[in-house]
Amino acid sequence: MDFPNKWRKWVMNIIKTARALVLVNGSPTQEFPCFRGLKQGDPLSPFLSVLAMEALTRIVKEACSIGRYKGVRLGANGPLLSHFLFVDDVIFMDEWFADNVLNLNRLLRCFYLSSGLWVNFSKSNLYGVGIDVNRVQSLASILRCKAGSFPFKYQ
């Protein structure tokens, strides 16, 4: 995202020099270094999360613009919806083609390689609206995630 080198070094220094301690029966232990990124409650965490999601948004928008990911168009001239971002969740929307699911998988892999943030597919669900359950299960197997179902009863 073209942040200045000095700024990136500041952020990395904050992350790499993090230290923590644990309370045992109300008494603190000695401090120890943290080696794996930001910790829960770190004030820098929400800010860096927003930056990471901005990068994901750029990847998805670019994929949509070159036709690698379809998204869902609302009406003939309506907006293209490809994803919604929440606190720590993302909902992707697309047309029901195996190529779209494969390309989504590739996009998420690129995002992981560039950011270090990976999707836990075992906690993820793929839902289909107006799609045969077998088709949903087939596409969910591509992502190695669960096939979700809506509790709708058709009358």
Side-chain angles (χ1 to χ4, degrees), residues 35 48 57 78 84 104 109 124 143 154:
F35 294 105
L48 293 179
T57 294
F84 289 119
L104 175 60
R109 174 82 175 144
S124 300
L143 294 173
Y154 294 102

Side-chain angles (χ1 to χ4, degrees), residues 104-121:
L104 175 60
N105 197 23
R106 291 177 184 123
L107 291 173
L108 294 173
R109 174 82 175 144
C110 290
F111 178 66
Y112 163 70
L113 292 172
S114 63
S115 70
L117 301 172
W118 58 276
V119 175
N120 186 346
F121 285 108

Side-chain angles (χ1 to χ4, degrees), residues 90-110:
V90 182
I91 296 176
F92 291 97
M93 292 158 288
D94 63 31
E95 296 177 4
W96 277 96
F97 298 111
D99 283 349
N100 244 359
V101 174
L102 287 169
N103 285 336
L104 175 60
N105 197 23
R106 291 177 184 123
L107 291 173
L108 294 173
R109 174 82 175 144
C110 290

Side-chain angles (χ1 to χ4, degrees), residues 22-155:
V22 178
L23 293 178
V24 177
N25 295 329
S27 299
T29 63
Q30 287 189 346
E31 286 188 352
F32 55 90
C34 300
F35 294 105
R36 300 232 19 197
L38 296 174
K39 303 298 168 239
Q40 186 174 355
D42 191 312
L44 191 58
S45 185
F47 175 67
L48 293 179
S49 178
V50 167
L51 291 178
M53 292 304 103
E54 176 63 23
L56 178 62
T57 294
R58 286 184 180 192
I59 290 169
V60 174
K61 281 184 177 182
E62 178 65 20
C64 287
S65 73
I66 63 173
R68 296 287 182 199
Y69 188 74
K70 300 294 182 197
V72 176
R73 181 144 323 262
L74 299 180
N77 297 319
L80 177 69
L81 300 179
S82 57
H83 63 292
F84 289 119
L85 301 171
F86 296 97
V87 176
D88 60 354
D89 291 316
V90 182
I91 296 176
F92 291 97
M93 292 158 288
D94 63 31
E95 296 177 4
W96 277 96
F97 298 111
D99 283 349
N100 244 359
V101 174
L102 287 169
N103 285 336
L104 175 60
N105 197 23
R106 291 177 184 123
L107 291 173
L108 294 173
R109 174 82 175 144
C110 290
F111 178 66
Y112 163 70
L113 292 172
S114 63
S115 70
L117 301 172
W118 58 276
V119 175
N120 186 346
F121 285 108
S122 67
K123 293 182 177 181
S124 300
N125 293 308
L126 182 70
Y127 290 92
V129 177
I131 304 297
D132 179 61
V133 174
N134 293 330
R135 179 85 171 129
V136 175
Q137 289 174 339
S138 171
L139 292 177
S141 69
I142 292 172
L143 294 173
R144 294 172 308 283
C145 69
K146 297 175 220 157
S149 63
F150 292 110
F152 295 125
K153 289 188 177 183
Y154 294 102
Q155 299 178 8

